[in-house]
Structure formats: structure tokens, C-alpha cells
């Protein structure tokens, strides 16, 4: 067997594999002899079928199968030994009038080669790193939410803004009859709200379903209708009030602080506000980090310039799916996936150049930490190392979980590396300002 390579240019090459009869003949003969031992052909005793008949019936199929196996093995070995960084898979070149009756064969494969490039983390225009903080309004809203959650309901005779109203929605034509409880702060529009204000127990209010609630999905729960129906539902319903309650806010006292944070961990409203800010900062950090990673990715794609073997990749895309694509379809798919491919190459370069690879011990420790965090959410604050190791072992026996956790860990490693090596334009923003900035 002989394998040679011709480099067309820096991004494209053709590999030629020459296979001689002596490379495959021994395996083919052995398989045909095994076939002969076990063949059941009418007129012949088992194991006494003439070899000529076995070769005639099975010879070419076995030959083709063995040559293809040999071809694949030798090509993969060659790519590994030559350390060729290829994109996609080798594409066999079509050969007209290929003759399996010959003893020696030649096959050619097109290769798309990964480009050589460097990644410069010292960007001329630094990426913005958002540090999200809870502003006074957010903190006060959170305090009010806590007070409502731990407050008491006080029964009333007349509806006022901010009340909670229980009752029944009805519409005979649509078959709607649903008991529910409505927080008036979730009612959309002053006109709808005014229909409730001043109403009493026993009163019936006529309402239009379209734009009744701040969130259209609320119709599903309050009217008991299907999801697909809720979006465009525009009918009139009647709501008969059965109960009116005003939620009295809980006092901001030591009893409430202890319920929220444990005994004596928070003692004043000032400490409560600081605790809320601290917890909010932890929650915001994940969103800030995700946005930072997105922005770094975009910046590196934009500033790292290299060519790709476009024509080869489009030809490869035509063949790689469940069904073949036309040239136009493959070109369209390439345009959609080019950006992602570019970042995969950039990420691979950063990982390899800086030894950021994930090994099994890293993955095991990462899985154990994730398990520990989840157990803490359910009140198990101090699991033993054996418990963590046993659960981690079960999780890591699932290849899909291994892949998912590996990607998460690699993402964290990359982000920490970028944070250490890159310069950023740091901005302290409220959550509202952050949302406006990234969805501008």
C-alpha cells in the first residue's frame, strides 16, 4: 500500500491511496473460506460447497467490503501520523469506469485543511464588561415583594387598586367557567382596572380577554384554556366576584429577618438592603458573564482574519446530512455556519496554545461541585464526599452528560482565561441599563 499527498494550496490537498492485491487478498480468502464452511446451498453438504461457487456468489461483495475497511483504516492512520488538521471529512473523488475486476486499485480524496493563524487578545477596541448592581428601586421593589409574600390577607367589601380578587370567569359559548384569584397589579390598562375598582362581592364585571393581563399567558391559568388558544383570544367574559382581599404588608422586624436569613444574620433594614444587593449581584453575575463571553466571541471572530477552504466545505456540506443538498442549499448552509466554524477554530487555537484542556479529574470535581450546589437548594448543606463521588460517577457514566458538563467547564475555563489576559472597558450599570445596552 502506498499513500501520497499533493498540496493544491495552503487550504486544499488531495491524498492518493494505492492498494495492491497483497494488501487485501489474505483477509478476503479467509472470509470466503469461513463462508464455505458454513454455507447452506441446496445439492451440497455443509462445508463441501465448491470454492468457485462461493467466490462467484460472495467474492466481489467481500472484496469491496474489505478494501473499503482497509482504505478507511489506512487513511485515518495517515491523517493521524501526518498530524493533518482537516476540516470536515475527506471527500472521495469520483472515478469513471472503476473496475473491481482488477487486482490493484487507486483512490483519491480531497482534503480541506485548517488555516494557520494567531489569536491576538490585545484588542484595539476593548470589549465592554458589565458589572450589574441592584439600584434603589430594585431593592425597594424586592423588599415590598417580601413583605407581600409574608404579609396577611384582610377581607374587604369594596375593591381598591392593589387588592386581590377571587371570583369566576364565564363564557357559555366557549365553555369557560373557571374559579380563579387575580392580583389587580397584573391587570393591563387603566380601563380594565377601573372596572374592578369600586366593585363589591357578588358583582359581575364584563371584560374583553384581549390585552386583559400584562402577560397573555395568564389567560391560560385564569380562564382554563389551551395554550394555542390564548394568544389570539378576543371574546367577552363575565367575572363574578366572590371575595376581595387586601394584602397587609409584613413588618420589617427581627421575626421576618430571621425567617429569611436565619437567626440574627440580619438585624436592620439597612443590613436587609445590603443582603438583597449582595444576592442580586450573584444572580446578575451569571448574566453578565454570559454576555461578556458572547461579546468576546464576536470580537475575536471580527478581529481574527484567516481564509477557509470554502469550496471544499460547501461540497462536504452537500454530503454530510441525512439527504444530499443541492449546490445552492449547501452554499446557504455554509453562510449560516461559517461564523460558528470560525469561532470553533479560534477557540481550539486558544485552548491548545494555553493548555486549557479538560481532563477527567477536572470534570469529576466540576460535577461534584454542581451536585453540591443542587443539594444545597434542597436543604442538604453538608453532603459527604462519598455521596458526591457516587452521584458524580453515575452522572459521568452517561456520555451525553459528560459532553454537556465538559462544554460547561471548558466555557468557564475560557472565560476565566479571557478575564485574566484581556483588557475590558468596565461599566457599572443597573439591570435595566444592562438590558437596554445589550438589546439596543
Amino acid at each position: 500500500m502506498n499513500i501520497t499527498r499533493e498540496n493544491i494550496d495552503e487550504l486544499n490537498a488531495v491524498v492518493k491511496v494505492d492498494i495492491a492485491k497483497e494488501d487485501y487478498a489474505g483477509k478476503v480468502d479467509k472470509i470466503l473460506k469461513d463462508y464455505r464452511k458454513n454455507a447452506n446451498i441446496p445439492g451440497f453438504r455443509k462445508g463441501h460447497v465448491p470454492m468457485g461457487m462461493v467466490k462467484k456468489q460472495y467474492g466481489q461483495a467481500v472484496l469491496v467490503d474489505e478494501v473499503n475497511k482497509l482504505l478507511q483504516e489506512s487513511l485515518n492512520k495517515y491523517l493521524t501520523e501526518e498530524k493533518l488538521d482537516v476540516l470536515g471529512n475527506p471527500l472521495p473523488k469520483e472515478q469513471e469506469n472503476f473496475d473491481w475486476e482488477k487486482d490493484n486499485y487507486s483512490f483519491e480524496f480531497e482534503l480541506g485543511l485548517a488555516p494557520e493563524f494567531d489569536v491576538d487578545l490585545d484588542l484595539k477596541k476593548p470589549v465592554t464588561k458589565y458589572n450589574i448592581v441592584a439600584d434603589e428601586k430594585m431593592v425597594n421593589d424586592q423588599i415590598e415583594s417580601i413583605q407581600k409574600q409574608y404579609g396577611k390577607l384582610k377581607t374587604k367589601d369594596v375593591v381598591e387598586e392593589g387588592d386581590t380578587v377571587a371570583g369566576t370567569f364565564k363564557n357559555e359559548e366557549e365553555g369557560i367557567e373557571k374559579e380563579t384569584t387575580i392580583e389587580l397589579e397584573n391587570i393591563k390598562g387603566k380601563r380594565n382596572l377601573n372596572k374592578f375598582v369600586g366593585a363589591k362581592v357578588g358583582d359581575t364585571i364584563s371584560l374583553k380577554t384581549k390585552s386583559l393581563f400584562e402577560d397573555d399567558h395568564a389567560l391560560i391559568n385564569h380562564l382554563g384554556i389551551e395554550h394555542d388558544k390564548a394568544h389570539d383570544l378576543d371574546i367577552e367574559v363575565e367575572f363574578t366576584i366572590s371575595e376581595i382581599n387586601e394584602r397587609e404588608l409584613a413588618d420589617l422586624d427581627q421575626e421576618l429577618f430571621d425567617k429569611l436569613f436565619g437567626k440574627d444574620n440580619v438585624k436592620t433594614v439597612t443590613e436587609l438592603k445590603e443582603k438583597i444587593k449582595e444576592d442580586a449581584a450573584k444572580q446578575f453575575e451569571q448574566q453578565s458573564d454570559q454576555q461578556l463571553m458572547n461579546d468576546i466571541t464576536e470580537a475575536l471572530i471580527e478581529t481574527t482574519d484567516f481564509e477557509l477552504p470554502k469550496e471544499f466545505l460547501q461540497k462536504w456540506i452537500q454530503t454530510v446530512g441525512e439527504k444530499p443538498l443541492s449546490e445552492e442549499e449547501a452554499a446557504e448552509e455554509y453562510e449560516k455556519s461559517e461564523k460558528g466554524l470560525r469561532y470553533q477554530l479560534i477557540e481550539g487555537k486558544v485552548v491548545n496554545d494555553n493548555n486549557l484542556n479538560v481532563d477527567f479529574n477536572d470534570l469529576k470535581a466540576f460535577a461534584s461541585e454542581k451536585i453540591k450546589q443542587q443539594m444545597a437548594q434542597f436543604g442538604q448543606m453538608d453532603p459527604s464526599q462519598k455521596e458526591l463521588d457516587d452521584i458524580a460517577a453515575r452522572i459521568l457514566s452517561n456520555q451525553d452528560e459528560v459532553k454537556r458538563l465538559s462544554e460547561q467547564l471548558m466555557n468557564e475555563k475560557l472565560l476565566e482565561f479571557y478575564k485574566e489576559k484581556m483588557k475590558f472597558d468596565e461599566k457599572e450599570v443597573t439591570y435595566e441599563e444592562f438590558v437596554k445596552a445589550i438589546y439596543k
Side-chain angles (χ1 to χ4, degrees):
M1 182 186 299
N2 186 41
I3 302 180
T4 56
R5 180 173 86 247
E6 178 189 358
N7 290 330
I8 307 302
D9 55 37
E10 291 182 351
L11 299 173
N12 295 275
V14 173
V15 169
K16 185 180 180 184
V17 183
D18 294 320
I19 296 178
K21 184 174 182 179
E22 57 266 25
D23 296 322
Y24 62 81
K27 288 185 179 179
V28 171
D29 287 344
K30 182 180 182 304
I31 291 171
L32 290 175
K33 285 176 183 176
D34 290 339
Y35 274 26
R36 185 184 179 218
K37 289 177 186 177
N38 299 301
N40 287 312
I41 296 178
F44 297 95
R45 282 185 297 141
K46 189 175 180 178
H48 290 77
V49 179
M51 180 56 80
M53 185 175 288
V54 173
K55 285 184 177 181
K56 185 176 181 180
Q57 188 164 349
Y58 302 108
Q60 190 171 87
V62 172
L63 170 67
V64 171
D65 191 42
E66 286 305 307
V67 168
N68 278 327
K69 283 181 187 176
L70 183 61
L71 182 62
Q72 204 62 49
E73 289 170 6
S74 59
L75 185 58
N76 289 338
K77 184 180 178 183
Y78 174 80
L79 295 177
T80 302
E81 289 178 348
E82 292 292 311
K83 297 180 180 179
L84 290 177
D85 192 1
V86 298
L87 301 179
N89 295 318
L91 289 178
K93 294 183 76 171
E94 289 187 20
Q95 298 184 53
E96 292 184 10
N97 303 318
F98 188 86
D99 186 3
W100 284 104
E101 297 297 329
K102 293 181 178 180
D103 291 335
N104 302 322
Y105 311 106
S106 288
F107 302 91
E108 291 187 335
F109 293 86
E110 296 178 61
L111 302 182
L113 305 177
E116 294 283 339
F117 61 92
D118 292 315
V119 180
D120 187 1
L121 299 179
D122 187 13
L123 304 179
K124 291 179 181 178
K125 183 182 177 183
V127 171
T128 300
K129 183 177 182 293
Y130 295 100
N131 299 316
I132 310 170
V133 295
D135 60 5
E136 197 66 26
K137 181 180 182 303
M138 178 174 282
V139 172
N140 290 335
D141 286 347
Q142 182 65 23
I143 289 174
E144 185 177 343
S145 176
I146 290 169
Q147 287 181 283
K148 284 182 178 179
Q149 182 182 347
Y150 288 90
K152 297 177 181 178
L153 288 177
K154 174 185 173 185
T155 303
K156 298 174 61 178
D157 296 322
V158 181
V159 178
E160 294 180 276
E161 288 190 30
D163 286 346
T164 299
V165 182
T168 304
F169 275 114
K170 283 187 181 181
N171 180 293
E172 289 186 11
E173 289 183 12
E174 296 290 335
I176 294 170
E177 185 169 352
K178 179 76 163 58
E179 290 184 9
T180 189
T181 300
I182 302 170
E183 301 281 349
L184 288 190
E185 62 188 25
N186 295 325
I187 292 293
K188 187 174 181 180
K190 197 71 175 174
R191 184 178 178 184
N192 287 325
L193 184 60
N194 286 340
K195 290 186 177 183
F196 283 92
V197 174
K200 300 176 182 178
V201 172
D203 286 352
T204 298
I205 303 168
S206 292
L207 299 158
K208 286 279 190 180
T209 55
K210 193 164 184 65
S211 300
L212 178 57
F213 294 101
E214 290 291 346
D215 180 0
D216 285 343
H217 285 81
L219 285 175
I220 299 169
N221 298 322
H222 290 305
L223 270 66
I225 57 176
E226 296 177 0
H227 181 277
D228 293 343
K229 200 173 182 180
H231 182 63
D232 295 316
L233 189 66
D234 187 8
I235 61 172
E236 194 166 282
V237 290
E238 291 186 340
F239 182 78
T240 302
I241 299 172
S242 59
E243 189 177 346
I244 304 166
N245 291 297
E246 176 184 4
R247 190 173 290 278
E248 289 186 337
L249 299 182
D251 292 332
L252 295 174
D253 55 17
Q254 195 59 50
E255 183 182 353
L256 179 61
F257 299 155
D258 289 349
K259 279 182 184 177
L260 294 170
F261 305 108
K263 188 166 178 58
D264 294 334
N265 287 319
V266 171
K267 295 182 178 180
T268 66
V269 173
T270 301
E271 290 180 8
L272 172 63
K273 289 184 175 182
E274 288 304 314
K275 183 66 175 171
I276 289 171
K277 283 184 179 180
E278 182 184 315
D279 290 345
K282 289 177 184 176
Q283 292 175 13
F284 293 148
E285 186 177 6
Q286 186 175 358
Q287 288 174 276
S288 177
D289 280 351
Q290 183 60 59
Q291 187 59 37
L292 180 61
M293 192 64 173
N294 291 346
D295 291 341
I296 291 171
T297 299
E298 291 289 338
L300 291 179
I301 291 171
E302 188 178 328
T303 58
T304 309
D305 188 32
F306 54 82
E307 294 295 321
L308 290 170
K310 182 176 179 178
E311 289 184 15
F312 168 84
L313 288 170
Q314 288 182 355
K315 285 169 70 174
W316 175 68
I317 288 171
Q318 281 186 266
T319 65
V320 75
E322 290 183 7
K323 61 178 184 178
L325 300 180
S326 67
E327 288 186 16
E328 293 76 14
E329 288 172 329
E332 189 176 329
E333 284 300 313
Y334 174 79
E335 292 301 323
K336 290 179 185 175
S337 60
E338 182 185 0
K339 206 172 185 180
L341 174 57
R342 285 184 177 277
Y343 185 67
Q344 282 181 9
L345 292 171
I346 293 168
E347 182 183 286
K349 178 75 172 171
V350 172
V351 168
N352 292 331
D353 287 355
N354 298 282
N355 297 315
L356 298 177
N357 296 296
V358 171
D359 61 29
F360 184 75
N361 288 331
D362 290 337
L363 197 58
K364 185 179 175 183
F366 182 69
S368 294
E369 186 58 33
K370 291 292 182 187
I371 295 162
K372 194 173 181 180
Q373 290 171 8
Q374 288 185 343
M375 292 176 79
Q377 292 176 4
F378 293 96
Q380 294 176 267
M381 305 305 293
D382 193 24
S384 69
Q385 191 59 48
K386 185 178 184 308
E387 281 182 285
L388 295 173
D389 289 344
D390 288 347
I391 298 171
R394 287 200 298 274
I395 290 173
L396 296 177
S397 67
N398 182 317
Q399 287 304 308
D400 289 338
E401 284 297 306
V402 169
K403 183 173 182 291
R404 184 180 66 82
L405 288 170
S406 296
E407 288 172 354
Q408 284 185 15
L409 178 54
M410 178 53 71
N411 207 53
E412 288 192 11
K413 280 194 168 194
L414 277 166
L415 184 58
E416 287 307 309
F417 174 78
Y418 290 144
K419 283 182 177 180
E420 182 184 334
K421 299 295 183 182
M422 297 178 74
K423 295 175 183 176
F424 301 103
D425 177 15
E426 299 206 24
K427 284 188 179 179
E428 187 173 284
V429 293
T430 66
Y431 185 72
E432 188 176 339
E433 289 169 338
F434 171 72
V435 170
K436 284 180 180 177
I438 64 171
Y439 292 111
K440 59 188 173 183

